[in-house]
Amino acid sequence: MTTMKAISQHTYGGSEVLQEVELDRPSPGPSEVLVRVRAAGMNPTDWKHKQFAGLVGRLPLVLGWDVSGVVEAVGLGVTIHRPGDEVFGMLPYPHGVGAFAEFVVAPARALVRKPEGVDHVQAGAIPLAALTAWQVLVDAADLRPGQRVLIHAAAGGVGHLAVQIAKERGAYVIGTASAPKHALLRELGADQLIDYRTEDFTAIDPVDVVLDTLGGETAVRSLDTLKPGGQLISIAIGSFPQDLPAQAAARGLRAYPLLVEADQAGMRAIADLVTAGRLRAVVEATFPLAQAAKGHDLGDTGRVTGKVVLTVP
Ligand SMILES: NC(=O)c1ccc[n+]([C@@H]2O[C@H](COP(=O)([O-])OP(=O)(O)OC[C@H]3O[C@@H](n4cnc5c(N)ncnc54)[C@H](OP(=O)(O)O)[C@@H]3O)[C@@H](O)[C@H]2O)c1
């Protein structure tokens, strides 16, 4: 059995719990592929699962849900990928985790072809955050041309991709972000920006949809921005106020949480947008796999613009 390097943890805590280890290289089972990882995007769920059991709840644990790489081997019955194919995607959330390694096994249909001309860092930055934005704005909200959407933390990993996807749908896009990030968000297509540090976001004209990335008080106050019949979709699972759906319903609104799911159709749609040059990730920083702890430390600040990506030489 050949071995591989991976970033593993035997306990929960800060980035000091992360260790580079040698593990057995996994083999693809039926319907699975083995991917040689070239880049793996980092997400807040990685920062959080380093600290507590969360939705995965097992140790030792190799984190990482986003992957871009090259198919090394395919399991029984796989027809859509071949060794040598360049692919990207999200490992099934939450239990499929393990991309912060030289190799990872994934269900064949979690992965799609990496667009030509897009490098692995760019492709590795996109899947989880873009699928989340897609599942909120397209699958759940069915955003239509001319509708108005408020995106909280528009400069974050999900937010900056959501801005672009909402514009693709023909929506009027309002984002919250600190002022230094407004120029970038305008470039990505945002129509209106609110500096949440100095302005009251509830003063905007009413919107059809809120993409809530923050939860808590921000989610509660966001109900004030919705048109009659409007909806708030929250991805801030851990801080989603329990009584918000009832509060919303009492006002003729809807509010509900959403957890990203593996979704081949969504991944294909996202890959098409990337291929067409209509969706791109802003990558604030890359770190080699061995320096994964630095990526976690950056993520833990909560101030990342766009994405942080690990590279595997
Ligand atoms: N439910 C799901 O399936 C799912 C999927 C993906 C993500 N999530 C969750 O959604 C949240 C956002 O994820 P992400 O990847 O976008 O996070 P992220 O990349 O870490 O977000 C960082 C951004 O948040 C901005 N920010 C921080 N506080 C803000 C505030 N009060 N108002 C506006 N912007 C603020 C920061 O900008 P400034 O520097 O300008 O403050 C920074 O650019 C996380 O909690 C994540 O765990 C859930």
Side-chain angles (χ1 to χ4, degrees):
M1 169 76 73
T2 328
T3 61
M4 66 172 188
K5 290 190 172 60
I7 303 300
S8 182
Q9 60 186 96
H10 286 75
T11 181
Y12 299 111
S15 61
E16 72 285 349
V17 303
L18 303 169
Q19 295 173 323
E20 189 178 88
V21 297
E22 288 281 336
L23 299 177
D24 289 342
R25 188 190 291 189
S27 306
S31 307
E32 293 178 335
V33 298
L34 177 67
V35 180
R36 181 183 288 270
V37 181
R38 298 291 309 280
M42 304 186 94
N43 291 283
T45 188
D46 294 301
W47 341 127
K48 293 174 193 172
H49 278 91
K50 157 185 96 249
Q51 293 168 343
F52 51 84
L55 299 175
V56 181
R58 65 165 190 268
L59 290 171
L61 177 64
V62 176
L63 287 169
W65 281 272
D66 277 335
V67 63
S68 181
V70 182
V71 174
E72 182 78 7
V74 301
L76 179 68
V78 172
T79 55
I80 61 170
H81 303 302
R82 294 181 183 170
D85 285 353
E86 296 193 304
V87 292
F88 76 129
M90 181 189 76
L91 303 175
Y93 192 85
H95 296 292
V97 66
F100 296 166
E102 289 178 311
F103 293 89
V104 71
V105 161
R109 284 172 196 267
L111 305 171
V112 300
R113 278 297 181 99
K114 179 178 77 62
E116 279 175 28
V118 168
D119 64 22
H120 285 290
V121 167
Q122 179 66 210
I126 285 174
L128 185 149
L131 276 173
T132 305
W134 185 269
Q135 288 169 15
V136 169
L137 298 173
V138 180
D139 295 346
D142 190 20
L143 201 60
R144 299 293 171 91
Q147 286 193 317
R148 295 165 55 82
V149 58
L150 170 62
I151 297 171
H152 282 299
V158 174
H160 84 295
L161 296 169
V163 165
Q164 297 170 71
I165 290 170
K167 286 309 294 177
E168 271 301 309
R169 303 290 287 187
Y172 181 88
V173 178
I174 306 165
T176 63
S178 59
K181 301 183 176 182
H182 288 193
L184 170 69
L185 288 166
R186 282 217 174 76
E187 251 178 64
L188 296 177
D191 296 291
Q192 186 179 340
L193 292 155
I194 309 289
D195 181 355
Y196 67 92
R197 296 179 178 182
T198 58
E199 294 173 69
D200 176 5
F201 70 81
T202 64
I204 61 173
D205 290 341
V207 298
D208 299 277
V209 175
V210 175
L211 193 178
D212 167 44
T213 52
L214 297 162
E217 195 54 27
T218 301
V220 174
R221 292 178 59 229
S222 293
L223 294 186
D224 294 339
T225 68
L226 284 171
K227 291 180 186 174
Q231 54 181 318
L232 176 148
I233 303 165
S234 181
I235 60 167
I237 299 288
S239 50
F240 180 71
Q242 293 289 313
D243 63 341
L244 203 64
Q247 279 190 50
R251 297 168 59 175
L253 307 169
R254 283 189 295 154
Y256 51 96
L258 178 146
L259 192 63
V260 68
E261 292 176 67
D263 170 15
Q264 197 197 22
M267 252 335 278
R268 281 190 192 284
I270 288 161
D272 287 347
L273 286 179
V274 173
T275 302
R278 304 181 76 86
L279 181 67
R280 70 177 169 99
V282 171
V283 177
E284 175 173 324
T286 64
F287 297 96
L289 183 67
Q291 292 177 24
K294 288 190 179 169
H296 277 268
D297 289 341
L298 181 56
D300 280 338
T301 65
R303 299 265 88 87
V304 171
T305 302
K307 300 292 302 179
V308 180
V309 179
L310 297 183
T311 58
V312 185

